[in-house]
Amino acid sequence: MSSLGNLSEKVGSLVSRGTDFLKKYIFGPNNERLDFVMDSFYKLSPNQQTGLLLGGVAGLLILVFGAFGFYFSRVSALEKDLDDSFAALQRLRSQAQVFEYEKKRYRELKNIISRASTGFRPKPFFEAKSNQVGVSLTDLRSTDADIPSDSPLSQDFKNISVEFRLPKVSIPRLLKFLGELEKSGKNLNIHSLQIRTRYGDRLFFETNAKVLGYKVGRSG
C-alpha cells in the first residue's frame, strides 16, 4: 500500500508541475500576461470593448461552427467510404459466385473431354467411320500438339490433329462422313476442308480435310 501511495503522490506531483508550467507559459509569472490583457481591455472605450467582445464571440462561433463543419464532413466522407467498401464487398461476393460457377463448368468440361478421349485412337476410329459410310480414306496422319499458351485451355488440354484425304467421294457421302465424325461424341470438329474436282468426273471429288479434337493432358 505504501508503494502505491508513493506512486500516486509522484504522479500527482508531476501533474501539478505540468499544470503550473502551462499556467506560467500562457498567463506568465504571477498572471502578468493576463493582468496586462485585462488592463488593456479596461483602458479601451466602451464601444471598443463592445466591438472586441463581439469580435471575440464571432471568432469563437466561427471556430465552433468550423469545427462542427469539419467533423460532419469527415463523418460524411467516412460514411461514403463505408458505402463504397460494402458495395465493393458485394461485387466481390458476386464475382466469387460467378467464379465458382465457371469453375464447376470447367470441371464438367474436363470430365466430358476425358471420357471422350480415353482410349481414343484416331487411325482405327477414322477407318471404321469411313467403312461405315462407304468412302475411301487415305494419307491419314494424326498428331498431338499443345494449345497456344494464351488460351485458358492450355493448362489442362492439348489438341488432337487428324489430317486425311478422300481421293474419290461424292458430296452426299462426304457430308455424311463429316457429320458422323462431329456427332461421334469424340469432340471432333472440322478445321479445314479442300474440295477439288476430278478431271472428267462431275459426280465425285477429291477432298483433303483436317479435323481437330481435344484430350486431357499436355504433350511433352
Side-chain angles (χ1 to χ4, degrees), residues 10 12 21 38 56 79 118 130 157 162 172 210 219:
K10 290 181 179 179
F21 174 77
M38 296 300 297
E79 290 178 347
T118 299
S130 66
F157 303 98
V162 182
K210 181 179 180 180
S219 63

Side-chain angles (χ1 to χ4, degrees), residues 66-128:
F68 274 105
F70 177 77
Y71 169 76
F72 285 115
S73 68
R74 297 311 304 163
V75 170
S76 177
L78 179 59
E79 290 178 347
K80 183 178 183 304
D81 290 341
L82 288 175
D83 291 340
D84 292 343
S85 298
F86 282 123
L89 180 60
Q90 189 63 32
R91 289 195 298 270
L92 180 61
R93 288 175 176 172
S94 177
Q95 291 298 321
Q97 293 176 352
V98 173
F99 174 76
E100 289 299 325
Y101 174 73
E102 295 298 335
K103 188 177 179 180
K104 179 182 177 182
R105 291 184 59 194
Y106 186 80
R107 287 197 300 267
E108 293 174 352
L109 173 65
K110 189 174 180 179
N111 290 334
I112 291 172
I113 293 179
S114 178
R115 289 193 299 268
S117 61
T118 299
F120 175 67
R121 292 184 298 164
K123 185 175 176 60
F125 173 80
F126 276 76
E127 289 178 346

Side-chain angles (χ1 to χ4, degrees), residues 21-162:
F21 174 77
L22 288 176
K23 287 181 179 179
K24 290 180 179 180
Y25 182 78
I26 296 174
F27 301 116
N30 300 319
N31 295 328
E32 291 177 357
R33 292 196 183 102
L34 180 60
D35 292 339
F36 174 76
V37 171
M38 296 300 297
D39 289 341
S40 300
F41 176 77
Y42 287 124
K43 289 178 180 179
L44 298 175
S45 66
N47 290 337
Q48 291 175 329
Q49 291 178 359
T50 302
L52 183 61
L53 289 174
L54 291 176
V57 171
L60 181 61
L61 290 176
I62 292 173
L63 181 63
V64 171
F65 282 113
F68 274 105
F70 177 77
Y71 169 76
F72 285 115
S73 68
R74 297 311 304 163
V75 170
S76 177
L78 179 59
E79 290 178 347
K80 183 178 183 304
D81 290 341
L82 288 175
D83 291 340
D84 292 343
S85 298
F86 282 123
L89 180 60
Q90 189 63 32
R91 289 195 298 270
L92 180 61
R93 288 175 176 172
S94 177
Q95 291 298 321
Q97 293 176 352
V98 173
F99 174 76
E100 289 299 325
Y101 174 73
E102 295 298 335
K103 188 177 179 180
K104 179 182 177 182
R105 291 184 59 194
Y106 186 80
R107 287 197 300 267
E108 293 174 352
L109 173 65
K110 189 174 180 179
N111 290 334
I112 291 172
I113 293 179
S114 178
R115 289 193 299 268
S117 61
T118 299
F120 175 67
R121 292 184 298 164
K123 185 175 176 60
F125 173 80
F126 276 76
E127 289 178 346
K129 289 296 180 182
S130 66
N131 292 332
Q132 175 184 336
V133 177
V135 297
S136 176
L137 183 68
T138 63
D139 300 334
L140 190 147
R141 302 182 304 276
S142 67
T143 57
D144 293 348
D146 283 335
I147 298 174
S149 59
D150 58 350
S151 169
L153 300 178
S154 63
Q155 296 298 318
D156 296 298
F157 303 98
K158 62 182 178 180
N159 278 135
I160 304 172
S161 174
V162 182

